[in-house]
Amino acid sequence: MKEAVAGIIGHNGLDGLSKSYDPAPIEDKWYARWIKDGIFKAEAKSGKPPFSIVIPPPNVTGSLHLGHALDNTLQDILCRAKRMQGFNVLWMPGTDHAGIATQNVVERALREEGLAREDLGREAFVKRVWEWKNEYGSRIIGQLKKLGASCDWDRERFTMDEGLSRAVRKVFVELYKKDLIYRGKYLINWCPRCLTALSDLEVEHKETEGRLYSVKYLFADGSGALTVMTTRPETIMGDVAIAVHPRDERNRHLIGRGVVVPICGRVIPVIEDNLADPEFGTGALKITPAHDPNDFLVGLRHGLEQIQVMDDRGRMNENGGKYAGMDRFEARKAITADLAEAGLLTGEDPHVHSVGHCYRCDAVIEPYLSEQWFVRTRPLADADVEAVRRGDIRFVPEQWAGTYYQWMENIRDWCVSRQLWWGHRIPAWYCLDCGEVTVSMEEPDKCSCGGHLRQDEDVLDTWFSSALWPFSTMGWPDETDELETFYPTSVLVTGFDIIFFWVARMIMMGEEFMEAPPFRDVYIHALVRDEKGQKMSKSRGNVIDPLVIIDKFGADALRFTLAALTVQGRDIFLSESRIETYRFFLNKLWNASRFALMNLENARDTDIDGRYLRLHDRWILARLSDVTKQMTEFMDGYYFGESARLMYDFVWGELCDWYLELSKPALRGDEGEMRKSASQAVLYAVFRDVLKLLHPIIPFVTEELWSAFGYGETLIGRTEWPKAGVFDTYAGSAGMDFMQTLVRAMRNLRAEVKLPPQQQVPRMCLRLKDSLGHAAACVRENSDLIGLLTKVGKTELLESGEMAPRQSLSSVTGEWELFFPVGDLLDVEKEITRLRGELNKLEKDMGRTRSKLSNPNFIGKAPAEVVAKEQEALKAAERQKKRIEENIAGLE
């Protein structure tokens, strides 16, 4: 076979490459060139098959962290590979307005000026936030570019730009018309610091050391008391009932009786409800509908009054009696002191329980009764679950589908209103005269009754606009070419922590408004942890800043590390030393390319001519064909780690360690001009495809090397992905596997007698089984190469009955025996003495291990992995003992 090779001399060539790899100038240069040449741009109309991804929009307040780096590296790998595979690729970029986070940043800046948002008023404050966004909001976009993200930046969107705002309003109005959005009084999660509602998913639950208080509620008839346990005595003033389980034998006789609420003296009933747990405490549960979500539902079931005892800042209100004005935690102390003084506090015990905190400011969440806007999620969720079950949407890894089902089947209505000024203002107006509510796309002039209108003060949850991201960014509600071409998108790449915040809600909105899922695949990547498996946090001091890493090692080193460590369903354990290890790979690739270019100088254009190829040439081409096929399969299956490690092993372990070493004689001209030309052609072709296969993972360095090799004027990202099977005619190079095994055995024998690597030895002898005639031919045809790699002057082939040479070390397999005569190379008696000493020490160690493994206490008490480790150590020692004994026998 002849494989065409054109333009061997690079237009930059060796002179264009620095002696050592320095990523900084390379990365800045090539990213600017990619942008200038527009290689990231998608075509709204194209004959190519479409491939599309929408970026999980980072917050405008954000700075690049490792989660972003991982997420966007994986997306970029897919997009670059698909472009090379002939797809019309759209990677839609953008940022999220991040309601609470952005408003908090600007409010902090105002406080430094001695101002509050109320001092400015809503319009001026929102203008101030826009000014901040315009000045600082693009920072993370610049950082994504530094990482190498190949988004179509001309299409960059923002969740509050004009087009997306129109889409948000359209969805709200349509859902309202379908009775899928409603306004109602409901117990919500309230942050008394941020002064806004939070969805269930925005509450972070933490195990907290609290107190469990036992409080006596006296019966109204004076006949005794019922003890109730609570962690929140500050809410006692809002109690409206005591519940006991209907099958609780201890308490069921109390149902219907009245008890007196401590402190305030109000009489409330004892009711029956399944919420009460007979196994906890006395089995009696105080019911406070305005301050506990479960109690709220009990109150609805029994028609109980809702008494709110706190205001929106977590202070006791007028219903708090003499505690009015106190902070909730201050009131807790005061009330427990008063209960104790009245003889009603019968116990106070340490108690660890889960307490909700605001995901933004970490304040303790207060269940709060409030008028809010809600999305009715159950009608939306049922259709979405079916979309996943019938395979319209595929989760990768598949295990996350189960998590998705579990959450969707237990979904609650979604509170979408937020008490903020920054965000999409709810398009609802209230008539000041008749009270009618108007929900409209356009701002109405007046009510249908002619009365004046006031717009709702609240804004929508940030996740509401994010839920529309896959189709709103492509121009919906207009019918656009982008929607026709790229929706549904091909894959969503994201972390498991926002399956519920974002993934589920995008599916809801996509199915409802586009009548199609927003994406075909959902690839869920794991967390990046530190090298010990701990979550990274500032308090632990184990945070790795990707921007610092890029400055130190380059973006390609970070990208390659993150890709190589990505295994489906397994967290990434990252350390700077691991990044440095993969940076060494880039150095290796750089140096190997310099070697290749050095040997391609003054070479003429040529073809790969199979008549002049040797075993190692055919082998590397066959391996390249295999690797190309595997890489294509790995990319299609989202096996990022497997693809990076495959290329690492191929480039370092096969191309560099074997092929380049074996090709040196031919490249020097030692094997004649035809062999030199053939080796140059193979070298050129292999590096061409290796750079292409590596480009999606490490785009900067591969572009620089591509330019140096001079593979044409086209940027590597615009070239065609290597085709599997091009070099399949070179398959069947099994002799190379035999030669590699033989070389390793020879090197091991040298190492056993501690010969210096460069010391030449006269000979080794090889005896093959009769069935290995092909191996004998391999040895004869490649004896020069075997000698090159082992520093062995001659490999002698022994006949099957021929005696082994005296005073030899040996290596034996089921197929052949290798003998290394050492009588003339070292003091044999001294070597035998050394080996016997080594054997004696090994036997003592084995004795200790056997003793440990025969001890019932050790076997019974030690962890299984410790026992297994000792058993494996004994097996390894037995193999080593046999090897030493064989060597002693061979030397005697």
Side-chain angles (χ1 to χ4, degrees):
M1 173 187 174
K2 290 190 176 183
E3 163 68 17
V5 176
I8 271 189
I9 304 302
H11 65 274
N12 286 337
L14 188 60
D15 293 339
L17 288 185
S18 60
K19 288 187 177 180
S20 58
Y21 166 56
D22 180 9
I26 293 171
E27 293 176 355
D28 292 340
K29 174 181 74 173
W30 286 115
Y31 202 87
R33 173 72 183 278
W34 294 332
I35 294 294
K36 178 176 176 290
D37 284 21
I39 71 168
F40 305 155
K41 289 185 178 181
E43 300 173 42
K45 286 287 189 181
S46 170
K48 298 177 181 179
F51 179 86
S52 56
I53 296 181
V54 291
I55 196 172
N59 292 347
V60 288
T61 57
S63 180
L64 190 74
H65 57 64
L66 277 174
H68 294 132
L70 171 63
D71 201 278
N72 287 280
T73 292
L74 302 184
Q75 291 175 78
D76 194 52
I77 289 171
L78 292 174
C79 289
R80 289 179 183 270
K82 289 297 180 183
R83 286 191 194 99
M84 296 175 74
Q85 290 168 6
F87 285 79
N88 177 25
V89 174
L90 170 62
W91 186 9
M92 180 72 76
T95 51
D96 191 282
H97 66 278
I100 294 177
T102 308
Q103 180 159 318
N104 282 345
V105 167
V106 177
E107 285 195 73
R108 278 198 299 271
L110 286 175
R111 282 198 295 274
E112 291 176 4
E113 301 172 22
L115 297 171
R117 61 176 162 135
E118 291 80 7
D119 297 326
L120 272 66
R122 183 171 193 140
E123 186 176 341
F125 176 78
V126 170
K127 182 182 177 184
R128 182 75 174 259
V129 181
W130 273 108
E131 290 171 356
W132 182 93
K133 184 266 175 188
N134 293 334
E135 184 173 355
Y136 299 107
S138 61
R139 177 179 56 181
I140 195 164
I141 295 298
Q143 293 167 350
L144 288 172
K145 291 178 179 179
K146 192 77 176 167
L147 183 68
S150 62
C151 298
D152 187 346
W153 296 111
D154 290 344
R155 298 176 185 273
E156 183 183 337
R157 304 304 301 268
F158 177 56
T159 49
M160 281 184 62
D161 68 28
E162 185 177 345
L164 269 67
S165 295
R166 185 162 66 98
V168 166
R169 183 169 285 199
K170 173 79 171 173
V171 166
F172 188 95
V173 171
E174 291 300 314
L175 290 176
Y176 181 79
K177 288 178 180 177
K178 296 176 182 178
D179 196 32
L180 291 173
I181 280 186
Y182 66 93
R183 191 167 187 257
K185 203 155 191 176
Y186 206 82
L187 198 71
I188 51 138
N189 304 301
W190 181 264
C191 176
R193 157 64 187 85
C194 297
L195 297 179
T196 188
L198 300 176
S199 73
D200 291 343
L201 300 172
E202 293 168 315
V203 178
E204 293 183 350
H205 291 275
K206 302 179 183 179
E207 291 296 308
T208 305
E209 290 187 11
R211 313 290 290 177
L212 189 61
Y213 303 91
S214 299
V215 181
K216 285 199 299 186
Y217 286 65
L218 302 176
F219 287 115
D221 60 9
S223 61
L226 181 59
T227 299
V228 173
M229 304 178 89
T230 181
T231 58
R232 305 192 65 208
E234 66 273 19
T235 64
I236 282 176
M237 310 289 280
D239 290 354
V240 295
I242 300 294
V244 298
H245 198 280
R247 291 192 297 276
D248 183 355
E249 296 299 330
R250 289 181 300 169
N251 295 317
R252 60 187 301 177
H253 66 285
L254 301 175
I255 295 168
R257 296 189 64 180
V259 296
V260 179
V261 178
I263 308 295
C264 72
R266 187 173 64 254
V267 177
I268 59 176
V270 177
I271 63 173
E272 62 173 280
D273 196 276
N274 290 337
L275 180 65
D277 182 2
E279 304 299 320
F280 182 75
T282 62
L285 179 70
K286 76 186 199 70
I287 302 300
T288 320
H291 291 280
D292 183 274
N294 292 318
D295 293 4
F296 177 78
L297 297 176
V298 172
L300 293 180
R301 286 197 290 270
H302 295 272
L304 300 174
E305 185 182 4
Q306 299 167 342
I307 302 175
Q308 202 156 7
V309 299
M310 293 180 206
D311 65 16
D312 60 356
R313 295 182 183 271
R315 296 175 302 207
M316 304 300 286
N317 63 15
E318 66 279 3
N319 292 325
K322 69 176 186 176
Y323 310 105
M326 286 187 182
D327 172 79
R328 53 187 167 159
F329 300 117
E330 181 186 356
R332 180 181 296 178
K333 293 178 182 177
I335 289 173
T336 53
D338 289 348
L339 288 170
E341 186 177 342
L344 299 176
L345 185 66
T346 62
E348 182 180 339
D349 302 299
H351 179 64
V352 176
H353 61 137
S354 181
V355 176
H357 291 70
C358 175
Y359 80 113
R360 282 295 177 194
C361 72
D362 203 41
V364 173
I365 292 302
E366 189 61 48
Y368 190 69
L369 201 59
S370 174
E371 284 280 349
Q372 300 288 339
W373 288 92
F374 295 86
V375 172
R376 251 183 256 281
T377 52
R378 174 51 57 198
L380 298 169
D382 289 342
D384 302 342
V385 169
E386 281 309 306
V388 178
R389 288 198 193 281
R390 66 175 175 259
D392 292 351
I393 299 170
R394 179 175 68 120
F395 278 85
V396 181
E398 191 178 359
Q399 70 200 52
W400 291 109
T403 306
Y404 171 79
Y405 293 141
Q406 186 178 16
W407 185 75
M408 292 296 276
E409 286 159 5
N410 295 286
I411 197 170
R412 289 172 53 182
D413 284 358
W414 174 17
C415 177
V416 293
S417 46
R418 298 290 182 270
Q419 289 64 50
L420 302 170
W421 286 356
W422 172 245
H424 296 99
R425 195 164 177 182
I426 291 174
W429 288 263
Y430 307 101
C431 181
L432 301 178
D433 299 311
C434 72
E436 181 182 333
V437 179
T438 301
V439 173
S440 171
M441 280 289 293
E442 306 299 330
E443 182 173 356
D445 295 328
K446 57 185 178 180
C447 179
S448 58
C449 74
H452 292 86
L453 297 172
R454 174 184 61 83
Q455 187 175 358
D456 196 302
E457 294 288 325
D458 292 349
V459 300
L460 286 164
D461 178 10
T462 297
W463 295 103
F464 190 92
S465 53
S466 298
L468 319 183
W469 188 249
F471 55 91
S472 64
T473 53
M474 296 186 196
W476 188 91
D478 295 335
E479 294 180 4
T480 66
D481 290 340
E482 284 80 2
L483 281 170
E484 184 179 345
T485 300
F486 295 112
Y487 190 93
T489 63
S490 306
V491 60
L492 175 76
V493 178
T494 189
F496 68 84
D497 51 334
I498 56 173
I499 290 177
F500 317 126
F501 277 116
W502 193 42
V503 178
R505 289 165 176 171
M506 281 191 289
I507 297 173
M508 283 183 194
M509 297 304 182
E511 291 283 351
E512 180 67 20
F513 290 95
M514 298 297 295
E515 297 182 349
F519 24 72
R520 300 300 186 195
D521 291 342
V522 182
Y523 177 81
I524 303 294
H525 61 71
L527 285 177
V528 183
R529 301 181 179 274
D530 72 9
E531 59 188 322
K532 297 176 182 175
Q534 294 182 320
K535 190 174 181 179
M536 291 187 184
S537 67
K538 290 180 180 177
S539 61
R540 286 196 180 103
N542 62 350
V543 172
I544 295 176
D545 185 338
L547 298 172
V548 172
I549 293 298
I550 290 172
D551 285 343
K552 187 171 183 179
F553 298 110
D556 278 337
L558 176 60
R559 289 169 62 107
F560 197 86
T561 305
L562 292 171
L565 298 180
T566 296
V567 177
Q568 292 184 10
R570 190 188 306 167
D571 285 346
I572 292 173
F573 292 2
L574 188 65
S575 66
E576 194 167 302
S577 63
R578 301 194 83 166
I579 299 167
E580 187 174 22
T581 296
Y582 287 108
R583 165 62 191 268
F584 292 152
F585 171 76
L586 301 182
N587 291 342
K588 188 76 172 178
L589 176 65
W590 186 269
N591 293 334
S593 298
R594 281 183 55 81
F595 168 83
L597 287 166
M598 191 185 311
N599 285 281
L600 291 174
E601 286 184 328
N602 303 318
R604 58 185 175 81
D605 289 356
T606 186
D607 297 335
I608 295 178
D609 191 336
R611 294 174 301 169
Y612 298 103
L613 299 186
R614 292 189 65 178
L615 174 64
H616 55 287
D617 300 308
R618 295 193 299 274
W619 167 76
I620 198 67
L621 291 172
R623 285 294 301 127
L624 179 60
S625 187
D626 291 341
V627 167
T628 299
K629 181 181 179 183
Q630 285 181 276
M631 280 294 288
T632 305
E633 291 172 352
F634 284 156
M635 289 292 181
D636 290 344
Y638 310 113
Y639 292 106
F640 300 100
E642 289 80 354
S643 64
R645 294 192 300 275
L646 173 65
M647 292 307 299
Y648 181 99
D649 292 341
F650 177 68
V651 170
W652 196 312
E654 296 182 81
L655 176 59
C656 294
D657 285 357
W658 291 94
Y659 182 72
L660 295 188
E661 293 300 317
L662 290 167
S663 67
K664 285 178 179 178
L667 293 170
R668 287 195 300 264
D670 296 351
E671 299 176 5
E673 280 304 310
M674 298 309 293
R675 276 288 303 132
K676 180 177 181 179
S677 179
S679 293
Q680 287 173 327
V682 171
L683 200 63
Y684 187 78
V686 169
F687 271 89
R688 177 196 60 203
D689 284 5
V690 161
L691 293 178
K692 286 184 178 185
L693 294 171
L694 279 169
H695 180 68
I697 308 173
I698 46 174
F700 295 106
V701 68
T702 49
E703 192 76 80
E704 179 74 7
L705 295 174
W706 181 265
S707 174
F709 274 95
Y711 289 116
E713 294 298 321
T714 305
L715 292 165
I716 191 170
R718 280 185 168 154
T719 63
E720 190 176 340
W721 184 256
K723 284 186 170 63
V726 170
F727 298 117
D728 279 356
T729 53
Y730 300 111
S733 53
M736 188 67 186
D737 296 336
F738 166 76
M739 190 167 81
Q740 287 176 309
T741 304
L742 179 62
V743 167
R744 291 188 189 102
M746 287 178 162
R747 287 172 171 173
N748 289 341
L749 288 177
R750 291 179 58 106
E752 285 183 10
V753 292
K754 298 180 172 51
L755 283 181
Q758 296 305 314
Q759 181 179 335
Q760 192 77 22
V761 300
R763 66 177 181 136
M764 289 193 189
C765 302
L766 180 65
R767 183 159 56 208
L768 300 167
K769 280 197 171 181
D770 292 338
S771 59
L772 291 183
H774 68 281
C778 175
V779 172
R780 293 190 187 99
E781 292 168 7
N782 298 283
S783 60
D784 58 329
L785 300 179
I786 294 170
L788 174 73
L789 297 179
T790 62
K791 295 295 185 288
V792 174
K794 183 179 181 182
T795 304
E796 295 181 2
L797 290 171
L798 302 179
E799 298 297 330
S800 59
E802 192 174 346
M803 291 288 293
R806 288 187 66 253
Q807 295 182 324
S808 295
L809 302 180
S810 64
S811 177
V812 181
T813 73
E815 301 293 325
W816 47 263
E817 299 168 281
L818 178 66
F819 303 99
F820 180 19
V822 295
D824 297 332
L825 296 173
L826 48 82
D827 185 331
V828 173
E829 292 302 322
K830 188 176 179 180
E831 179 64 14
I832 291 172
T833 301
R834 185 188 71 79
L835 289 172
R836 282 179 175 154
E838 190 176 325
L839 181 62
N840 184 49
K841 180 179 180 300
L842 184 63
E843 287 173 337
K844 288 179 180 178
D845 291 341
M846 291 171 65
R848 284 191 288 270
T849 304
R850 286 194 185 99
S851 176
K852 189 183 290 186
L853 290 171
S854 63
N855 185 338
N857 287 332
F858 173 74
I859 297 297
K861 294 179 180 178
E865 60 270 20
V866 173
V867 175
K869 187 176 180 181
E870 290 291 335
Q871 291 170 335
E872 186 53 44
L874 182 59
K875 289 178 183 177
E878 287 170 345
R879 290 191 295 270
Q880 187 181 357
K881 177 175 179 287
K882 181 181 178 183
R883 186 84 193 92
I884 294 171
E885 288 172 341
E886 288 171 349
N887 281 339
I888 291 172
L891 291 173
E892 287 181 334

